[in-house]
Amino acid sequence: MNSQCPNSDPVVVMKNIVKVYPDGTVALQGVDFELCRGEIHGLLGENGAGKSTLMKILAGLIKPTKGEVVVRGRPVKFHSPADALKQGIGIVMQGLSLVPVFTAYENIILGARRVKPSRGEIEKLMQETGLIVPLDTPVENLSFGVRQKIEILKMLALNVDILILDEPTTNLSPTETRDLFKTLLKLKEQGKSIVLITHKIREIYEATDRVTVLRKGRLIGTVETSKVTPRDLAKMMVGREVELSINKPPSKPGETALKVEDLEVLGDLGVPAVRGVSFEVRYGEIFGIAGVEGNGQIELAEAIVGMRKPVRGRIILDDEEITVLDTSERYKRGIAYVPEDRKTSLIMEFSLVENTPLTEITYSREIVGEMGFVRMKQLIEKTTKIVREYNVITPSIYTSARALSGGNQQRFIVGRELSKDPKVIIVAQPTRGLDVAATEYVRNLLVEMRSKGKAVILISSDLDEVLSLSDRLAVMYNGRFMGIVDPSRITDEELGLMMGGYTYEEIKAQRV
Ligand code: ADP
């Protein structure tokens, strides 16, 4: 599957790009990519496919391990983003890079090298592109959508004509998204070449001329958007490897443990990250939540645990509403959480003993005595028990968490949370970065918990993992569930479509 530039030579050719990160991660395994002049080119793939890595190389942020980059016919070697900018290549990343206390105008001229664009020139640029922003307001007082416009303006003011946007619609409202695409079309008419990194298949159809699909660091193909269907793209994007061998007896779900009703939760930027989610989890089942990261999964988990207050909706545990209870009260009632980032769950400088009471120090009378004194003996016993039962390999319980491998840190965290004998366990990306043995251990433990009658919510962007472990599976996209399905019946194509923004209903009704 390969499409060529229709009328002109490509402005960018990337050949056989390999990227191995210093920690040994092979992010790209020999990828080819061509960008035509005046096209909007979608770069599609799931988490970890290598999209950002490929574009960071083109923007001079990182260097390829191997491979060649040719811009307008000339081989280039970039040592910094400034080198790429000199060739007219600029990237707008998700994490915004503006100086918050500066105004839009100050931010725009900040990057300019010799000749600073005048106010008049920037106003003209705003008119030409439709990117209208208030120039004199400090950026910190502006919405995410406006800040993103400023970032694009900044790139254009630097004469960028190869513009890369990394998941630009993540925090935009539907109107802002439409406006952004209108702008991109205008820029294209002006001859700019644009790369749109996305996992949203819908966006591919709204904006792009061609699309390149990556999967696990490999090129799957480059195709003309008009010649493929969303189903084709979904299949290209999602490809599962061998089925995992998890020994999973059939589930015997019991009563409803947790009920979430029409939940709306804001993300860090103050924009809704969860937009009306409802579901129930029963005792004795693993409820999986799949989806590309950043679609509201973490905000949902944090709302259930009490780390984030919902703006709408209800959370009910065992028929009792817990929506406004604080975190420690929820822990007490039996909700445990193993977050995605081990660093937020452990204090790395602390020993294991010191880490044991972290999530329960506020309430456990077993460990914290009446006056708030820590009962050292109990703490040592408890830590020893966690280390023993959950096979944490460590020289001693007094060793700092940092000294443990990722797998052993995770065993310790999981052990610590499970040893509280919770009713509902929420785990996010529980096996990320773990070796095979630790991964298998954690997965089996989750199945065991479920067999013991616990309600398990498994958030994971690892499709093999959610598919093999979950009894029921929700796919989350842009703050919503696209459907709740039986994981043993779902095809890769259906899964890819849901991850890319189509509801199960739409798919089943053949409206895609
Ligand atoms: P995508 O943008 O498609 O989600 P990325 O390019 O971000 O994918 O990541 C590709 C792979 O490289 C993933 O396995 C990711 O974990 C890994 N990766 C990304 N950045 C780094 C880094 N700085 N160090 C080590 N591994 C990284």
Side-chain angles (χ1 to χ4, degrees):
M1 262 185 278
N2 243 329
S3 106
Q4 309 253 302
C5 291
N7 312 317
S8 58
D9 289 337
V11 277
V12 171
V13 179
M14 300 178 83
K15 274 189 239 165
N16 195 22
I17 304 289
V18 173
K19 176 69 190 178
V20 183
Y21 280 108
D23 68 357
T25 307
V26 184
L28 297 170
Q29 320 190 25
V31 168
D32 297 329
F33 176 79
E34 282 189 10
L35 180 66
C36 307
R37 192 182 307 279
E39 76 168 344
I40 303 181
H41 194 126
L43 189 54
L44 182 73
E46 303 182 41
N47 280 120
K51 308 178 296 287
S52 299
T53 300
L54 187 68
M55 287 303 117
K56 279 184 191 163
I57 291 171
L58 181 57
L61 288 159
I62 54 175
K63 289 183 195 167
T65 309
K66 229 179 90 184
E68 199 186 353
V69 182
V70 179
V71 177
R72 296 183 199 82
R74 294 220 179 119
V76 291
K77 282 220 179 342
F78 297 147
H79 300 284
S80 71
D83 287 353
L85 275 170
K86 273 187 222 146
Q87 298 284 337
I89 302 172
I91 187 166
V92 174
M93 306 282 289
Q94 266 177 40
L96 291 160
S97 66
L98 301 175
V99 183
V101 292
F102 281 14
T103 64
Y105 179 65
E106 287 163 343
N107 266 294
I108 292 169
I109 61 171
L110 190 65
R113 304 189 139 228
R114 267 156 268 132
V115 194
K116 306 262 181 226
S118 71
R119 245 190 114 87
E121 281 166 322
I122 293 173
E123 277 161 2
K124 186 160 164 265
L125 196 59
M126 292 204 297
Q127 294 306 330
E128 283 167 3
T129 56
L131 293 161
I132 312 281
V133 302
L135 284 178
D136 299 313
T137 312
V139 160
E140 61 192 353
N141 299 334
L142 298 171
S143 73
F144 182 88
V146 177
R147 288 192 218 182
Q148 191 178 54
K149 287 185 188 171
I150 298 169
E151 292 240 30
I152 298 174
L153 276 172
K154 183 174 164 180
M155 286 298 152
L156 298 175
L158 291 168
N159 293 321
V160 158
D161 63 2
I162 297 170
L163 182 66
I164 306 160
L165 301 159
D166 192 350
E167 298 270 5
T169 63
T170 305
N171 290 297
L172 298 189
S173 69
T175 323
E176 286 172 328
T177 301
R178 263 196 306 277
D179 287 351
L180 173 71
F181 289 154
K182 268 190 220 151
T183 300
L184 296 187
L185 288 174
K186 260 192 202 150
L187 294 177
K188 172 181 132 171
E189 277 161 25
Q190 293 163 12
K192 311 265 182 212
S193 314
I194 298 165
V195 181
L196 174 69
I197 300 180
T198 188
H199 65 275
K200 301 180 174 176
I201 298 176
R202 278 183 188 279
E203 286 183 356
I204 295 292
Y205 287 94
E206 278 162 37
T208 70
D209 303 294
R210 294 196 307 154
V211 52
T212 291
V213 184
L214 299 184
R215 190 204 299 159
K216 299 203 165 102
R218 291 182 194 280
L219 171 70
I220 303 301
T222 298
V223 289
E224 276 174 58
T225 309
S226 60
K227 298 206 171 133
V228 285
T229 66
R231 287 177 187 266
D232 297 331
L233 288 178
K235 260 189 277 187
M236 291 169 76
M237 182 165 95
V238 174
R240 261 181 293 153
E241 297 175 0
V242 286
E243 297 272 307
L244 285 175
S245 57
I246 287 274
N247 182 11
K248 201 175 111 204
S251 73
K252 292 187 213 105
E255 301 280 298
T256 298
L258 188 83
K259 203 177 202 177
V260 168
E261 290 177 359
D262 196 23
L263 206 65
E264 181 173 321
V265 185
L266 300 183
D268 290 337
L269 293 160
V271 197
V274 178
R275 306 161 191 254
V277 163
S278 303
F279 64 98
E280 287 184 21
V281 187
R282 291 155 69 183
Y283 287 113
E285 75 167 345
I286 299 181
F287 183 83
I289 302 179
V292 173
E293 275 168 72
N295 277 286
Q297 297 95 318
I298 293 311
E299 289 83 354
L300 175 61
E302 290 181 350
I304 297 172
V305 183
M307 294 161 67
R308 220 174 254 276
K309 297 277 167 275
V311 290
R312 197 183 75 212
R314 303 203 305 156
I315 304 164
I316 295 155
L317 176 68
D318 285 339
D319 291 330
E320 273 184 65
E321 179 161 0
I322 57 163
T323 321
V324 296
L325 296 185
D326 62 23
T327 311
S328 60
E329 184 58 32
R330 293 184 209 210
Y331 272 123
K332 231 189 273 183
R333 292 187 186 208
I335 295 186
Y337 182 37
V338 178
E340 166 178 352
D341 185 0
R342 288 189 275 277
K343 286 195 244 34
T344 63
S345 207
L346 290 176
I347 297 180
M348 291 296 173
E349 291 71 30
F350 280 16
S351 71
L352 296 184
V353 177
E354 291 163 315
N355 268 294
T356 293
L358 272 194
T359 47
E360 54 182 323
I361 199 121
T362 41
Y363 70 87
S364 174
R365 287 278 167 263
E366 184 193 329
I367 281 173
V368 186
E370 289 304 322
M371 305 290 286
F373 292 113
V374 173
R375 295 187 169 148
M376 209 53 201
K377 187 162 161 283
Q378 277 88 336
L379 197 52
I380 291 170
E381 276 169 13
K382 184 154 190 189
T383 311
T384 310
K385 195 163 169 247
I386 297 172
V387 165
R388 199 177 48 232
E389 282 184 13
Y390 295 88
N391 303 324
V392 182
I393 297 168
T394 176
S396 112
I397 57 171
Y398 303 104
T399 305
S400 71
R402 185 185 303 291
L404 270 57
S405 71
N408 283 304
Q409 289 172 356
Q410 187 70 332
R411 283 174 201 245
F412 180 76
I413 296 169
V414 171
R416 180 183 68 191
E417 297 310 309
L418 296 187
S419 66
K420 293 178 206 156
D421 197 26
K423 296 175 177 171
V424 177
I425 304 150
I426 305 168
V427 292
Q429 319 293 357
T431 60
R432 168 159 305 157
L434 303 191
D435 60 28
V436 179
T439 298
E440 204 171 290
Y441 178 80
V442 170
R443 286 178 180 163
N444 283 320
L445 206 56
L446 294 175
V447 173
E448 193 185 314
M449 288 297 124
R450 146 213 193 253
S451 299
K452 282 189 183 157
K454 315 270 180 208
V456 180
I457 300 178
L458 167 66
I459 297 170
S460 176
S461 54
D462 179 335
L463 286 181
D464 294 320
E465 177 165 282
V466 269
L467 284 164
S468 60
L469 293 181
S470 310
D471 298 305
R472 286 188 304 137
L473 181 66
V475 181
M476 197 161 182
Y477 169 88
N478 209 14
R480 296 196 172 87
F481 281 176
M482 295 291 104
I484 297 177
V485 298
D486 175 350
S488 62
R489 297 217 163 153
I490 193 90
T491 65
D492 285 357
E493 179 185 299
E494 290 167 337
L495 205 57
L497 284 169
M498 285 197 274
M499 286 166 44
Y502 297 88
T503 65
Y504 192 58
E505 256 175 36
E506 277 176 285
I507 300 165
K508 279 291 156 195
Q510 300 289 332
R511 278 184 277 140
V512 182

